[in-house]
Structure formats: C-alpha cells, structure tokens
Amino acid sequence: MAGNLLANYVQVYVMLPLDVITVDNKFEKADETRAQLQKLVEAGVDGVMLDVWWGLVEGKTPGVYDWSAYKQVFKLVQEAGLKLQAIMSCHQCGGNVGDVVNIPIPQWVRDIGEANPDIFYTNRRGTRNIEYLTLGVDDQPIFHGRTAIQLYADYMKSFRENMAEFLDAGVIVDIEVGLGPAGEMRYPSYPQSQGWVFPGIGEFICYDKYLEADFKAAATAAGHPEWELPDDAGEYNDTPEKTKFFADNGTYQTEKGKFFLTWYSNKLIKHGDKILDEANKVFLGCRAQLAIKVSGIHWWYRVPNHAAELTAGYYNLDDRDGYRTIAHMLTRHYASMNFTCAEMRDNEQSSEAKSAPEELVQQVLSAGWREGLHVACENALGRYDATAYNTILRNARPQGINKNGPPEHKLYGFTYLRVSDELLKEQNYATFKTFVRRMHANLDYNSQIDPVAPMKRSKPEIPIEEILEVAQPRLEPFPFDKNTDLPV
C-alpha cells in the first residue's frame, strides 16, 4: 500500500533568504543558515532553492567569476542532507514584490548601458528598466565582443565547472534558468520601481532600438512596412477600457494588433528557447533538470482582453492558450515549468481587479500536463494559514490521492516562498510541518522520490509555426476538486 501511495508524494522545497550572501559576495550568515536548514530538515522538506546572482559572481570584471561564497552555502545544504534548486539569476534583485536587498546586474554591464541605454528594456516614453537586458540584445556582440546569450552561457559554464562536486554528488537537482525580471520568462511590464501599482495593466516594453528595428523588419516582411509599435495601449496603472488597444473591439482584435501580439510573445518564446539550448549544452549529462519560471498574472484574467498578461508577453485570450505555446517549446529541452500563485483563492481578490488566480493556475498546469511536462509551483506571497496550504494541496493533486498508484495529475514539486523567522515561529512552524507531511501523502520523508536522470541533449528546434498550432483552440483545463482531500 505504501508503495502505491508513494506515487502521490509531492516534493517540497523552501527558498532561502534573498540576503544569504551579502551584496559584496560574502557568506557571513553560516550559523543562522545552518540553524534554518536544521529546522527545515526537521520539518521533512526535500530541499531548498537559492538565487545564484550574476551581479555578485561576475560583478566586477568580465569573465572573472567568484563562486567562493556560494560554495560555502552549498556545502551547508549538502551537510544537511537536502537537495538544491539553483536559480541562474541574471536579473537585478530589487524593485519587485518582496525584494529586501538590492543586487544589480554586473557593474561592467551597466557601464556599457551608460553609453548605450538601448541594451535595457524600454517603455514607450523611453524609460529604461535596468533589471534585465532586453531580449533585443540576445544576439548583439556588444558586451566586449560577447552577445547577451553568450554572457548567460559563459556564466552557466563557470557554474558547471565550479560546482561540479555538488552536481556530481546529486545535491543540485534543478537548474532554473532566469529569463527575465524576477527570474521569470516575461517582459518587465509592471515595475514597482517605476510606479506600477496593482492592478494596473502594465505596458508593452519593446521600445529599445533593437526590438523596434526587429518589429519594423517583421512588419515589412509581412507586407506592412507602415505598421508601428502600439501607441494606444495606455500606461502602467490604466484599466483596459481606458485604452484603445484593450477596449472592446480594440486594437488587440485587429489584424495589426494580432500581428504585434504574436511577434511580441514569439520573441519571448524564442528568447527562452535559445537560452535553454545553451543551458542544455552546459549541463548535458548532469543529473539535474532544467526549469523556467512563468509569472502568475492573475489580474484582468476575467476580461476578454487579458490585458496584464498581454503586456507581460503571454498572448493568452479566452480562445487562445498563451501558456501551452511556452510548454510546447519546453518539451524540446525536457525542461519543467514552474508556475506561481498556487496559494491564492479567487474570493481573496478584490473584484475590481477582475482577478482569477484559481482558473489561471488550472489553465497553466493543464497546459503543462497536456505537453507531458514536469510542472512545479510556488506561492506568490508569504502565507502561514491553513487556507493557503489547503489551496496548494488541492493544486498539487487536483483530484486527490490515488491509493492504487500515481494520480492522473500531480505537481512534480512545490517550492515555498520563503524561510524566515516568521515561518519558524511555533504555531506557523507546526502548521508548515503538517503541510509538508500532507504534500508527502502522509508518508515519511523519502530521498529516493523522482530520481533525476542524466540530462539528454535537447531535440531539434521546433518551428514557431508548429509551436503556435497548440495555441488554438484553447482546451478546457483538467478537472480540479474544490478542496483537497488531505487538509492541514
């Protein structure tokens, strides 16, 4: 019986604090980290997740990497007997929800941006966003002769060489490849640092000279040299109906609008595809899997224009699945998809935001499962209450426990945001321990769950036309029970 139940076990990881390593790349919190890891082991978790900041490791000089602080942290994780999910964080920490420290991208990259600010994502008014390089420079050799993709690939190569002992020992099981702001595969369409406030629709962020030229070439090739990037899509904090682009029968439904949205979302998919291909070459043969993070943009989900998703680069409409296209691309790399907001209930949201996190989670998880992916989740906001945990448990096994074997669908893993003094307080910690046990299908911790096979080489590139075929029709999500059968 326990053998059959084991197929219902969902691994639980916990994010380590953002400031484990100082802004000058030192590990000064060994005692505190060791104590936190010990409490997580006692709670029965499977592992931890950690941001590996490009801005710290290659911060001072191009091609010079300092991994010493990270090695010390990884060693403690290994000694605790935990597994590790490492995020290749090529974005800035600071300026997003929950960012408690400020770690910019490398200084020498920002110096190049002083002379050429178009290396950064840019909105229609020309405001630059220095959190992450625009995907417009992915193939531009302007970083002392390297392209942005080469910068990321070299960073990962250095990680692979310097962390070989932890990869070979099976400590690092997951390489989450950062593909945008906050490590998410999206455009920085809703930056708090520039005044965005929930539930603003955000803005299209493609007005740097590289993406403008790319769009112009694409429009000309399509026989419409007169088409320009949108100038009617409003500003960060607008509501959809305030704009011409997202209004009923707005620009987004015209031939020109559809062309733009396809181009904008395709650029993002290709960006992810190219970097994952490099990551696959780097980690080939390692017993680790690649993963990416997709952002949970649940506001304006209930209106036909899905405005906030569209500005972020997710071309998702009531009749078009903007997440299945991403999932289909991931099949080429055997990569898993990590999605957020797994803890949210619709009834917790304000009605004005037209928000539907539960439906969004169902849609995205279903898209991943239909493509045969490992699908993982995170919570978006720090929560310690039974309602949030029970929502996660429901999403982890949408139709409950199967006593006779694997459930039809289940999460591959769940990563909890984030370890803190608050989490480890008596009552919160007790509830969390119960939650971990329920995720494990009421079984004891088991280190042998879902062993990771050596990474295989990515399959050949999937033509974008074939990727777009899975967008329509948008299929109904798989059925989800209203509540979990194993509440905390």
Side-chain angles (χ1 to χ4, degrees):
M1 177 65 169
N4 287 336
L5 270 181
L6 210 50
N8 295 267
Y9 182 115
V10 176
Q11 298 186 66
V12 179
Y13 291 77
V14 178
M15 289 184 210
L16 293 180
L18 285 169
D19 59 353
V20 171
I21 288 171
T22 65
V23 289
D24 49 3
N25 200 20
K26 300 278 186 287
F27 180 44
E28 295 170 355
K29 293 191 170 181
D31 292 344
E32 190 182 322
T33 303
R34 195 179 280 111
Q36 287 174 333
L37 293 173
Q38 194 46 49
K39 293 289 279 186
L40 294 176
V41 168
E42 286 166 24
V45 306
D46 298 84
V48 292
M49 177 183 266
L50 182 63
D51 283 283
V52 182
W53 297 106
W54 179 38
L56 295 182
V57 176
E58 195 187 2
K60 297 194 172 76
T61 313
V64 177
Y65 305 90
D66 178 1
W67 298 101
S68 51
Y70 279 103
K71 283 187 173 171
Q72 292 168 279
V73 184
F74 287 14
K75 198 84 197 145
L76 287 189
V77 172
Q78 183 175 28
E79 285 166 6
L82 291 164
K83 295 185 239 185
L84 180 69
Q85 299 174 320
I87 311 175
M88 302 289 102
S89 297
C90 294
H91 60 286
Q92 165 186 301
C93 181
N96 282 300
V97 180
D99 284 350
V100 292
V101 287
N102 191 51
I103 300 168
I105 64 173
Q107 181 62 52
W108 57 271
V109 177
R110 286 179 292 148
D111 291 344
I112 293 167
E114 286 292 313
N116 179 6
D118 285 283
I119 68 171
F120 295 117
Y121 278 122
T122 306
N123 71 9
R124 200 171 71 84
R125 291 180 303 289
T127 310
R128 312 293 182 174
N129 187 314
I130 58 168
E131 287 179 72
Y132 184 82
L133 295 172
T134 166
L135 59 78
V137 296
D138 277 357
D139 302 310
Q140 300 285 339
I142 50 182
F143 302 96
H144 304 293
R146 292 189 287 170
T147 66
I149 291 202
Q150 285 169 332
L151 298 183
Y152 308 141
D154 289 347
Y155 180 62
M156 292 189 283
K157 276 179 205 151
S158 181
F159 178 88
R160 164 92 175 79
E161 286 157 15
N162 285 275
M163 299 305 183
E165 60 177 301
F166 303 106
L167 284 157
D168 297 345
V171 178
I172 301 170
V173 293
D174 213 51
I175 307 285
E176 187 169 289
V177 182
L179 296 171
E184 296 170 332
M185 182 173 139
R186 64 174 174 86
Y187 293 90
S189 53
Y190 52 101
Q192 282 188 315
S193 57
Q194 294 180 14
W196 173 83
V197 181
F198 180 86
I201 58 174
E203 293 184 28
F204 293 116
I205 309 288
C206 52
Y207 297 84
D208 61 83
K209 69 183 183 190
Y210 300 101
L211 284 176
E212 283 198 312
D214 191 285
F215 178 76
K216 205 71 195 148
T220 302
H224 287 281
E226 75 283 5
W227 281 351
E228 305 280 349
L229 291 169
D231 59 1
D232 59 353
E235 298 188 356
Y236 291 131
N237 294 320
D238 282 339
T239 54
E241 67 278 2
K242 267 195 173 155
T243 74
K244 264 183 141 152
F245 193 93
F246 297 113
D248 292 342
N249 297 319
T251 309
Y252 82 97
Q253 292 180 303
T254 64
E255 186 195 359
K256 177 181 163 185
K258 289 175 180 174
F259 178 84
F260 165 73
L261 289 167
T262 303
W263 170 83
Y264 188 70
S265 55
N266 284 359
K267 291 300 292 182
L268 194 61
I269 290 171
K270 289 176 184 166
H271 170 71
D273 187 41
K274 284 189 271 198
I275 297 174
L276 283 170
D277 195 46
E278 293 300 323
N280 173 271
K281 287 183 224 169
V282 169
F283 294 105
L284 199 59
C286 294
R287 288 186 177 274
Q289 67 170 351
L290 296 177
I292 70 157
K293 189 158 146 192
V294 173
S295 183
I297 300 180
H298 52 85
W299 53 106
W300 305 111
Y301 186 84
R302 286 190 192 279
V303 292
N305 54 64
H306 291 253
E309 292 165 272
L310 264 49
T311 57
Y314 305 142
Y315 189 5
N316 188 54
L317 298 172
D318 295 348
D319 63 350
R320 186 186 195 282
D321 195 332
Y323 301 99
R324 191 151 175 206
T325 49
I326 297 169
H328 192 66
M329 177 274 285
L330 294 177
T331 61
R332 169 186 175 211
H333 306 288
Y334 314 99
S336 66
M337 180 160 66
N338 188 8
F339 193 63
T340 176
C341 70
E343 85 285 11
M344 292 184 176
R345 288 269 179 184
D346 292 356
N347 61 16
E348 298 166 345
Q349 310 302 316
S350 70
S351 57
E352 74 198 305
K354 299 288 191 279
S355 172
E358 291 182 80
E359 285 79 353
L360 176 62
V361 167
Q362 289 177 22
Q363 181 194 342
V364 177
L365 300 193
S366 297
W369 286 326
R370 281 202 166 98
E371 292 294 331
L373 299 182
H374 287 158
V375 182
C377 267
E378 296 174 1
N379 50 313
L381 304 171
R383 295 274 295 264
Y384 312 99
D385 58 291
T387 304
Y389 287 133
N390 289 336
T391 307
I392 295 162
L393 282 157
R394 185 274 310 268
N395 290 330
R397 290 180 292 258
Q399 291 171 289
I401 291 276
N402 176 10
K403 295 194 167 86
N404 303 311
E408 189 174 359
H409 303 294
K410 76 167 175 121
L411 289 182
Y412 185 75
F414 173 80
T415 303
Y416 177 83
L417 172 102
R418 158 182 322 267
V419 70
S420 62
D421 294 344
E422 185 82 356
L423 176 67
L424 301 177
K425 275 188 192 148
E426 288 131 26
Q427 187 50 54
N428 287 349
Y429 183 60
T431 312
F432 178 71
K433 285 206 288 197
T434 306
F435 163 71
V436 173
R437 185 146 183 101
R438 299 289 186 266
M439 290 292 276
H440 290 168
N442 278 347
L443 300 168
D444 293 335
Y445 163 76
N446 188 320
S447 63
Q448 303 306 308
I449 289 292
D450 296 330
V452 185
M455 196 178 294
K456 297 189 288 197
R457 182 70 185 106
S458 293
K459 291 181 268 195
E461 187 178 346
I462 306 172
I464 196 75
E465 297 72 26
E466 186 186 317
I467 288 173
L468 294 179
E469 281 171 12
V470 301
Q472 284 163 309
R474 182 171 133 188
L475 304 173
E476 284 295 308
F478 294 119
F480 278 51
D481 293 343
K482 187 160 173 44
N483 295 304
T484 177
D485 58 344
L486 276 190
V488 300

